[in-house]
Amino acid sequence: MSIDNTSYQPLGQTTSGYLWLLLVLLLMSIAGGYCAYNMEHQGHHITGMTNQVVWGLPHVFAVSLILTASGALNGATLASVFGLQIYKPYARLSVALAITLLVGGLLVLVLDLGRPDRLAIAMTTYNFRSIFSWNIFLYTGFIFLGVVYLSTMLDRKINRYTSRVGALVFLWRIVLTTGTGCIFGFLVGRSALDAAIMAPLFIALSVVMGTAILALVMMLVARWQRGILPAAVVNALATLLFWCLLTLLYFSVVHHLSNLYVAEHQADERFVLGGPFAVLFWFGHIVLGVVVPLLLLQRLRGLSQPAANKNTGLLLAASGAALLGGMVMVYVIVIGSQTVPQTLFPGKIVTASSFGDAGFAAYTPSLWEWGVGMGGVCFSLLLFAMVLKLLPLCSEAASAAVE
Amino acid sequence: MQKNNSSSPQTDKSLLARRRFLRNLGLLGATAVSSFTLLEVKAREQKANTTGAVTAEKRWGLLIDTSKCSSGCDACVRGCNEEHGIENEGNDATRAQWIRKIDLKDKLTGSESSVPVMCQHCDSAPCVDVCPTGASFKRADGIVLVNKHTCIGCRYCMMACPYKARSFIHETLTNQKPAAPRGKGTVESCTLCVHRVDRSEDLQPACAVACTDEAHSAILFGDLNDPQSKLATKMKEIGASQVRADLQLNTGVRYHGL
Amino acid sequence: MLRSLATVTHRTIVSVLCAVMLITTAGFWFAGAVAQPVIVPAFKGEQCVADTNLMRSDHMKLLDHQRDDTVIDGVRGAPYSLIGCVDCHAQRSDSGAAIRVDAEGQFCQSCHAYAAVKIDCFSCHAAVPEQARQIGLLPDNPMPHAEINRVMSLLKSTDYHAKEQQFFTTN
């Protein structure tokens, strides 16, 4: 094994930009906490959630954060498992980001519970037939393994275990994303969520969102180091994100085409492709989340190496679009599927019901839900920004001088 | 493998010994497992004998005769709400609805019917499978309940229920009935009036009583396991089906004339 | 590896620790300000289902145990029911209406306020008696004295399950 001579430090000089970011993230986290307190104190009637749309915007944020966390590990995995040296200087950042994002995601998930005060029950009483129960172990295990993984990178004495722990973490996170996908894949009562393809679809979405946020964070850290990302790294990231996006597109197309083929799912599918969620599906997921970033990245890959500044701009835009589009996709899957009426009596039309069995359910997220969701994102990033200052995660090799 | 014949002169002695050892090991294991199971069953039986704990001997269920149910009548819903202290008005999408009335029209024949839909008390209940804490559970006698002491309000059971039979309590409640503890942040659904059933098997659930009082008698409660029960004989006589029978959940609530 | 953390001076650590200690022990310094609980005698009944000291220390164990038996196994009519607590201990106002046991100064609340333990029962359970006896959630007749004495003698052991078994076998 080659000796690693790269030196790492905590984030150096404190720029005013860093401090401002810290302040904003802190305030947003506090606001999120207040929203969560209100939701628990008043009850969920202050949200847009109902007995039909039982999981709302907080779940969209939580699932997105969890998927992104698993995907953010890409940098470390590529460096220590697949031996791509170009990602080596970012491996520590990648693991720290994955852990902090997962913590934020779990926080949102817990704060959206009807009884968050009973977290102790959730952590001590298990029903092992429940995919949710498995996920509790997968998530806590991920955090634990992540910390071990980061330690092997930080401490030279146990450096030699990095690749082995890395391989374990890689497997773990594939299982974790599968588990998250399975939550939405085996619900026999909701036809849109009764599809085993959800697991690979979520894995594809996870690598897209994770790569995108990692790219954004890498650019930000390089900026704080008063440099820019080296052109080679930008191009490597662009290629990675490009192929991840194509994979996502592939699974998404297979998912929807197979739904169109099965008579039982056709009504739901027409709803996704042409109902009230159609705009979000076509413009959010397909155009913003896949087509736009693909085009931007294709453009970037065609540019010559030295145009680094321009490259960075394109990667920034592509990553941002992929991240937003990914969240929209989660929104369409989680919320859209719940607004479709559940068919209890095939072959019959519902002419009257006191509980909306006839038509599509409405859902408008309230400000409180936005607060909890955004609070979770900000809390993740706040943790990450602080960890950056405390632990030696940043390498000199991570940025190039501005020309 | 060669033919296993212990009298064959070619049989290797060590092979025989190993076989015998493995067989004994298997027997030992089987004995251990079965005696543990027996002990457990016995303990349960004993508990049932001494304390009146419910057993799988009975399986409670409902038979709903849709030919007797009329559109526009919601006596069962009102009876249920009164029994459990559930508010009748409010936002339909967020208030608790243990029973709801659905009016149907056949796409082909145009024939109309009206049915009450409540928790179907499935034998293989999806809500029980998905609940992370085991709060959603099926009693030995087939009644599916939420143990609100361990419900954390995650609502996964509501995602899993094919019948939309569960309600999440969105607001702070006051003036609950002693027989029906209910509270904000937990999930609830039809209990098959477990507090009445436990007291006496002759006490029908509130919905059935209300329906009879309205002279419809469309809801019949009884033991599905007992072929002599009124419910079973009636079901044999008029026939009944399950809602979403394709899901093979073996529901405890059956409908005639769907 | 955590060299950067070492830059936090000892003085900072000591002052933070002091502050934490002060905050966490605040209760001791101001303990005199907490009022003694008012324990109102039960509205009805002369004898509780168990000895007073045992009820004070272990009422939740009794309730918890019976609650699981009742909710999960459908065991009804066992002696330690929350409905039973409310049935005896809820006071009546001048107008004759029942007062919630978790209202300010009432039986449950005043002791719990003193012990600083949040009561989680009555966000779901009824805090006033209401026809509990009529619908058969309580035994039709209040427990006879001999019965209470027997239950109390059983309660001297700490195995609640065995006690319950005994209670039912001899009942």
Side-chain angles (χ1 to χ4, degrees):
Chain A
M1 207 166 285
S2 68
I3 296 168
D4 179 16
N5 285 323
T6 332
S7 73
Y8 294 85
Q9 310 80 32
L11 192 63
Q13 288 162 305
T14 308
T15 59
S16 63
Y18 174 85
L19 283 178
W20 274 112
L21 184 73
L22 223 52
L23 183 69
V24 170
L25 292 177
L26 182 68
L27 291 177
M28 288 290 287
S29 304
I30 293 172
Y34 174 71
C35 292
Y37 166 78
N38 239 324
M39 258 167 65
E40 195 205 349
H41 191 71
Q42 309 250 343
H44 273 60
H45 75 99
I46 63 167
T47 70
M49 289 176 246
T50 61
N51 284 331
Q52 162 93 40
V53 181
V54 300
W55 285 348
L57 197 64
H59 260 81
V60 174
F61 272 96
V63 170
S64 301
L65 276 167
I66 290 166
L67 291 180
T68 311
S70 158
L73 215 65
N74 274 352
T77 305
L78 289 172
S80 54
V81 182
F82 295 96
L84 293 178
Q85 290 302 314
I86 194 166
Y87 291 108
K88 190 80 190 279
Y90 310 98
R92 296 177 174 193
L93 285 179
S94 157
V95 183
L97 184 62
I99 297 173
T100 51
L101 285 173
L102 192 71
V103 169
L106 292 183
L107 194 66
V108 176
L109 209 57
V110 167
L111 290 177
D112 182 50
L113 291 177
R115 296 292 304 248
D117 53 319
R118 290 190 181 159
L119 185 63
I121 292 177
M123 303 303 283
T124 50
T125 326
Y126 294 105
N127 164 25
F128 286 105
R129 286 185 65 89
S130 166
I131 299 171
F132 242 28
S133 278
W134 310 346
N135 278 343
I136 294 173
F137 287 99
L138 290 174
Y139 297 152
T140 45
F142 182 87
I143 293 175
F144 172 75
L145 284 177
V147 170
V148 173
Y149 192 19
L150 191 59
S151 310
T152 67
M153 294 177 180
L154 291 172
D155 192 339
R156 264 171 207 280
K157 271 177 285 179
I158 47 174
N159 246 190
R160 61 183 182 281
Y161 298 113
T162 303
S163 64
R164 263 171 278 176
V165 177
L168 182 61
V169 176
F170 174 60
L171 286 177
W172 193 275
R173 70 141 155 144
I174 296 289
V175 178
L176 180 145
T177 323
T178 308
T180 311
C182 284
I183 290 180
F184 299 95
F186 293 97
L187 296 172
V188 290
R190 298 189 187 252
S191 53
L193 298 179
D194 184 17
I197 199 171
M198 282 299 176
L201 185 70
F202 271 46
I203 293 178
L205 185 58
S206 140
V207 288
V208 166
M209 294 179 78
T211 307
I213 195 146
L214 187 63
L216 292 176
V217 163
M218 281 160 66
M219 282 184 260
L220 186 66
V221 170
R223 207 184 138 95
W224 280 337
Q225 287 179 322
R226 308 208 184 277
I228 54 166
L229 272 191
V233 176
V234 172
N235 279 24
L237 278 173
T239 308
L240 179 65
L241 189 55
F242 187 82
W243 285 102
C244 290
L245 282 163
L246 281 183
T247 315
L248 175 65
L249 187 62
Y250 165 76
F251 279 113
S252 194
V253 168
V254 172
H255 175 213
H256 290 288
L257 281 183
S258 60
N259 272 354
L260 275 178
Y261 194 80
V262 182
E264 189 192 342
H265 295 315
Q266 277 173 5
D268 298 348
E269 198 50 35
R270 273 201 300 275
F271 166 73
V272 171
L273 305 181
F277 278 76
V279 176
L280 281 177
F281 177 79
W282 289 109
F283 289 98
H285 165 41
I286 299 294
V287 175
L288 177 71
V290 180
V291 177
V292 167
L294 275 179
L295 290 176
L296 290 171
L297 294 169
Q298 185 55 33
R299 173 112 192 277
L300 189 160
R301 276 147 44 91
L303 288 175
S304 55
Q305 289 268 332
N309 276 327
K310 190 161 188 182
N311 285 2
T312 320
L314 284 171
L315 182 63
L316 183 82
S319 301
L323 211 51
L324 277 178
M327 279 201 70
V328 172
M329 186 182 174
V330 176
Y331 189 91
V332 172
I333 290 176
V334 174
I335 311 281
S337 61
Q338 295 179 77
T339 58
V340 183
Q342 282 172 263
T343 312
L344 264 60
F345 305 98
K348 311 239 183 203
I349 302 165
V350 174
T351 49
S353 163
S354 57
F355 186 24
D357 290 281
F360 297 114
Y363 171 75
T364 318
S366 72
L367 201 62
W368 307 110
E369 292 167 84
W370 279 106
V372 171
M374 289 303 293
V377 174
C378 291
F379 182 73
S380 289
L381 297 176
L382 178 69
L383 273 186
F384 180 70
M386 293 196 303
V387 171
L388 265 188
K389 269 282 175 201
L390 292 174
L391 296 178
L393 304 178
C394 310
S395 140
E396 290 155 355
S399 63
V402 189
E403 283 142 41
Chain B
M1 288 288 263
Q2 62 269 74
K3 271 184 206 138
N4 180 12
N5 194 339
S6 53
S7 63
S8 152
Q10 287 104 323
T11 313
D12 186 340
K13 269 199 173 158
S14 67
L15 185 70
L16 248 180
R18 200 181 321 154
R19 285 230 176 108
R20 200 175 303 138
F21 172 71
L22 285 175
R23 187 199 62 192
N24 289 347
L25 197 68
L27 278 176
L28 188 72
T31 321
V33 169
S34 55
S35 49
F36 273 124
T37 322
L38 277 176
L39 277 179
E40 201 173 302
V41 169
K42 196 139 187 8
R44 246 204 110 73
E45 260 173 26
Q46 201 180 353
K47 189 170 184 188
N49 286 339
T50 55
T51 64
V54 294
T55 63
E57 209 174 291
K58 291 195 187 314
R59 185 179 176 207
W60 298 121
L62 295 176
L63 173 62
I64 295 166
D65 186 347
T66 61
S67 64
K68 291 180 178 170
C69 181
S70 80
S71 165
C73 170
D74 64 347
C76 55
V77 180
R78 280 183 283 112
C80 173
N81 287 353
E82 197 176 319
E83 180 74 21
H84 302 104
I86 301 171
E87 291 278 333
N88 244 334
E89 57 274 338
N91 183 349
D92 278 347
T94 54
R95 73 187 169 96
Q97 298 198 44
W98 291 13
I99 310 180
R100 66 184 189 279
K101 281 295 300 287
I102 302 181
D103 290 353
L104 299 166
K105 190 175 178 181
D106 195 282
K107 278 181 191 165
L108 193 67
T109 63
S111 67
E112 292 184 359
S113 50
S114 183
V115 291
V117 175
M118 67 287 280
C119 169
Q120 302 286 300
H121 298 280
C122 310
D123 187 26
S124 338
C127 59
V128 174
D129 282 349
V130 300
C131 177
T133 65
S136 184
F137 72 105
K138 191 183 71 175
R139 248 168 53 142
D141 58 3
I143 302 180
V144 175
L145 295 172
V146 180
N147 182 350
K148 284 164 209 163
H149 303 108
T150 44
C151 173
I152 55 173
C154 74
R155 320 191 286 289
Y156 197 11
C157 57
M158 302 177 72
M159 289 293 285
C161 178
Y163 306 103
K164 276 195 351 183
R166 289 211 155 159
S167 308
F168 178 68
I169 301 306
H170 287 75
E171 292 173 63
T172 305
L173 299 181
T174 48
N175 301 326
Q176 290 95 327
K177 302 250 175 176
R182 309 169 53 232
K184 181 185 73 187
T186 57
V187 175
E188 56 185 38
S189 58
C190 159
T191 64
L192 220 56
C193 281
V194 71
H195 56 287
R196 297 168 64 96
V197 174
D198 281 347
R199 187 188 173 199
S200 158
E201 295 174 7
D202 302 327
L203 272 182
Q204 296 262 314
C207 55
V209 173
C211 189
T212 308
D213 288 350
E214 204 78 2
H216 287 143
S217 298
I219 304 178
L220 186 63
F221 168 83
D223 183 5
L224 290 163
N225 277 353
D226 175 11
Q228 311 305 327
S229 72
K230 222 170 121 190
L231 176 86
T233 37
K234 182 86 178 166
M235 202 148 84
K236 208 178 286 167
E237 181 196 324
I238 62 173
S241 57
Q242 309 175 48
V243 181
R244 292 292 316 257
D246 59 314
L247 298 176
Q248 310 206 354
L249 302 174
N250 185 8
T251 57
V253 178
R254 304 286 171 117
Y255 291 81
H256 165 73
L258 267 187
Chain C
M1 86 190 196
L2 297 173
R3 195 170 303 150
S4 57
L5 279 181
T7 55
V8 182
T9 60
H10 285 183
R11 196 180 298 166
T12 325
I13 294 172
V14 169
S15 44
V16 167
L17 280 178
C18 286
V20 169
M21 274 179 65
L22 266 177
I23 292 167
T24 49
T25 56
F28 289 106
W29 317 122
F30 300 103
V34 178
Q36 291 282 317
V38 194
I39 297 167
V40 202
F43 178 72
K44 61 179 177 190
E46 285 148 26
Q47 176 97 53
C48 195
V49 290
D51 172 66
T52 307
N53 281 332
L54 191 113
M55 286 311 283
R56 275 191 191 156
S57 58
D58 284 351
H59 62 280
M60 211 47 223
K61 284 185 193 153
L62 298 171
L63 283 170
D64 264 352
H65 175 72
Q66 183 170 315
R67 153 196 119 176
D68 289 343
D69 277 357
T70 303
V71 174
I72 296 164
D73 291 322
V75 175
R76 302 278 173 173
Y80 319 117
S81 89
L82 186 66
I83 294 178
C85 302
V86 175
D87 196 48
C88 285
H89 286 284
Q91 301 295 313
R92 302 294 187 273
S93 69
D94 295 339
S95 65
I99 306 170
R100 291 180 66 99
V101 286
D102 63 342
E104 185 100 3
Q106 294 301 305
F107 184 75
C108 297
Q109 198 274 340
S110 80
C111 218
H112 272 260
Y114 180 72
V117 180
K118 193 185 157 207
I119 317 176
D120 200 20
C121 304
F122 302 108
S123 56
C124 294
H125 285 276
V128 287
E130 182 208 330
Q131 302 160 340
R133 227 169 266 287
Q134 283 170 30
I135 55 171
L137 291 166
L138 285 173
D140 286 335
N141 303 308
M143 211 177 275
H145 253 273
E147 184 56 32
I148 289 170
N149 288 338
R150 196 178 59 77
V151 172
M152 277 168 61
S153 70
L154 293 177
L155 277 168
K156 291 205 175 85
S157 98
T158 45
D159 183 353
Y160 299 104
H161 188 69
K163 262 176 290 168
E164 189 198 54
Q165 291 278 332
Q166 270 176 290
F167 172 80
F168 279 105
T169 7
T170 46
N171 210 9

